[in-house]
Amino acid sequence: MGINPMKWKTRTVAYTALGILLLYVLFIHTRTYEVTVTGTLKNSNPEHVWEYVADFSNMKTLNPTIEDFDIIEESGNYDHWKYSVKYTEHLSHMPAVKNTALGHFSILREKDDFVINSQHRTCFFANFGCLDSTSQFKFSGSKGETKCLETVKYECPMALSNLCDREVRYQRQEIMKNLKAHFTKKSVPTLTKNS
């Protein structure tokens, strides 16, 4: 007794369709996740912190995964400055994996807060595997301190959600750590020896 060819074809088509659907759900379809990070910088002015973070040339110091960048467009003034930047970065836990991103930044003051809003399109493998993210970084002052609050919303395929989460959290923690180090160093007076 042989295998029924029609049954075999039907089963093969069904398994192939199921396999494609599973690959799509796990690796192509994305969900949006959110991470919020807070920090406090002592003896600092929120406007100075905002200005420092808004200058993308400082990002290579703040975020060690950024390798190179190019400002491609800029407009506005001190009250509302906008710029777009193309940058290259690597994954913190897999440095051999690199991506290119296009970020659009809007730097403005909202009442007593200093705000940096940004939208990013990060692509792996040229223009394949692109993911979108948004960030709002707020700086506010109170009693000689700067309170920093960043909320990041990012897309990620379900199968890679742990990797994406680790990457986003690592970058946010490094930025906050390096920001604290920069402003702590800046506020410590330099001692000179008198002859």
Side-chain angles (χ1 to χ4, degrees):
M1 197 163 170
I3 298 174
N4 181 338
M6 193 59 170
K7 207 178 212 184
W8 181 81
K9 283 182 184 177
T10 304
R11 188 177 296 158
T12 302
V13 168
Y15 286 147
T16 301
L18 186 61
I20 290 170
L21 180 63
L22 192 60
L23 281 173
Y24 174 79
V25 167
L26 292 176
F27 293 99
I28 297 172
H29 176 72
T30 60
R31 281 187 54 204
T32 300
Y33 301 87
E34 184 174 311
V35 170
T36 300
V37 178
T38 60
T40 302
L41 305 177
K42 298 191 182 304
N43 302 318
S44 63
N45 179 322
E47 189 169 3
H48 297 160
V49 178
W50 171 66
E51 288 172 348
Y52 184 79
V53 176
D55 182 349
F56 200 85
S57 63
N58 294 322
M59 268 299 150
K60 282 180 84 171
T61 304
L62 294 172
N63 182 351
T65 65
I66 293 180
E67 296 182 354
D68 200 14
F69 71 94
D70 187 26
I71 304 291
I72 55 175
E73 190 178 346
E74 200 170 359
S75 66
N77 55 35
Y78 186 80
D79 294 324
H80 191 184
W81 175 34
K82 294 180 181 181
Y83 66 88
S84 296
V85 60
K86 187 174 184 178
Y87 57 98
T88 306
E89 61 184 350
H90 62 267
L91 297 182
S92 61
H93 298 89
M94 289 188 273
V97 178
K98 299 184 189 293
N99 62 69
T100 57
L102 180 62
H104 303 286
F105 291 80
S106 175
I107 294 97
L108 63 146
R109 189 174 185 161
E110 291 179 351
K111 296 182 183 174
D112 294 332
D113 294 332
F114 299 89
V115 181
I116 301 171
N117 292 315
S118 60
Q119 297 176 331
H120 306 260
R121 182 140 180 97
T122 304
C123 297
F124 297 85
F125 319 113
N127 282 332
F128 180 75
C130 295
L131 302 169
D132 293 321
S133 62
T134 60
S135 167
Q136 183 178 70
F137 211 158
K138 277 189 176 184
F139 307 89
S140 56
S142 166
K143 299 177 185 173
E145 295 181 339
T146 299
K147 300 214 181 290
C148 307
L149 171 67
E150 185 177 20
T151 303
V152 178
K153 294 180 182 177
Y154 63 94
E155 292 179 338
C156 188
M158 191 185 307
L160 302 174
S161 62
N162 285 339
L163 176 67
C164 292
D165 183 65
R166 264 183 28 195
E167 191 63 31
V168 170
R169 288 181 190 280
Y170 170 82
Q171 289 184 15
R172 270 39 277 154
Q173 289 166 355
E174 285 297 302
I175 289 169
M176 198 59 68
K177 178 184 85 176
N178 292 325
L179 203 50
K180 285 180 181 178
H182 174 79
F183 281 93
T184 299
K185 179 173 55 175
K186 202 170 179 192
S187 64
V188 173
T190 306
L191 299 176
T192 55
K193 188 174 180 180
N194 293 335
S195 314

